[in-house]
Amino acid sequence: MAQIILFDLDGTLTDPKEGITRCVQYGMEALGYAEPDLDRLTPFIGPPLKDMFMEYCGFEPEQADEAVKKYRERFSEKGMYENEIYEGIEDMLRTLKESGRRLGVATSKPWVFAEPILRHFGILDYFEFVTGSELSGERVQKSEVIEEALRRFGAGPEDKGNVFMVGDRKHDIFGALKAGVVSVGVTYGYGGYEELSQAGAGHIVDTVEELTELLLKL
């Protein structure tokens, strides 16, 4: 089987800071929690939203569900497009695709949002499958997303050594380790070297150019 490369979306393919933080702020305010500094909300980029609302705000599960609902209200109308693709990403995807690699997206974001974002930036067609969570709350943990992506690719246990999960946060690394695939961390996103290293990333790179070179060598 050809090498399979799964990419996280937020902080790995695109920089969604403005959209995500403004939508998080909107969700918080709906429940009476004020956070005027958007920079303080960057930890929300990557992890499951419900978990982060409970951790950051101290919300009960029901409150976190309501905050996620309000977040999605703004995100679906405006926030998903307050986003930028990282420089060099499309060139990297084209190069990897032409080299025979099979590409997919594995994100904790609901796939109904992920696909339009990828289409908006003109990179959707590089991927065989876009796997994400469901709006119902199903499949939000990264290991579950990766396992579903592997199922769609037809990859069995014997293929996992030839599957790479690329992401910028510890949740991507933990998910890859739990799913038994090779992890690649990128520091140009929102996790940083220390977070990725402590999570046990198999490889860590600093730029899109380094990522391209690494994936072509592996």
Side-chain angles (χ1 to χ4, degrees), residues 73-146:
E73 179 182 289
R74 186 185 186 281
F75 191 80
S76 62
E77 295 178 359
K78 186 176 182 180
M80 73 167 72
Y81 301 118
E82 294 172 324
N83 198 346
E84 296 180 0
I85 188 170
Y86 286 116
E87 184 176 354
I89 288 294
E90 184 168 7
D91 289 340
M92 175 189 69
L93 296 175
R94 183 184 303 109
T95 298
L96 293 173
K97 189 83 169 177
E98 290 175 349
S99 73
R101 271 70 172 181
R102 303 180 67 191
L103 309 182
V105 170
T107 174
S108 296
K109 182 186 294 300
W111 66 269
V112 295
F113 295 142
E115 285 196 0
I117 291 170
L118 295 166
R119 186 178 296 111
H120 174 72
F121 289 115
I123 58 174
L124 178 61
D125 290 344
Y126 288 105
F127 303 105
E128 290 186 42
F129 302 102
V130 177
T131 309
S133 62
E134 300 288 346
L135 291 174
S136 63
E138 180 184 357
R139 203 167 56 241
V140 296
Q141 299 303 318
K142 186 51 71 83
S143 60
E144 298 172 323
V145 176
I146 294 171

Side-chain angles (χ1 to χ4, degrees), residues 19-33 44 49-50 53 59 61-80 82 113 135:
I20 288 181
T21 56
R22 289 191 182 281
C23 292
V24 167
Q25 187 182 58
Y26 182 82
M28 288 179 171
E29 289 175 349
L31 277 81
Y33 190 108
F44 280 80
L49 282 171
K50 182 176 178 178
F53 276 120
F59 288 165
E62 296 78 10
Q63 293 175 301
D65 284 335
E66 181 62 23
V68 170
K69 181 180 177 180
K70 299 302 290 186
Y71 170 99
R72 289 176 177 166
E73 179 182 289
R74 186 185 186 281
F75 191 80
S76 62
E77 295 178 359
K78 186 176 182 180
M80 73 167 72
E82 294 172 324
F113 295 142
L135 291 174

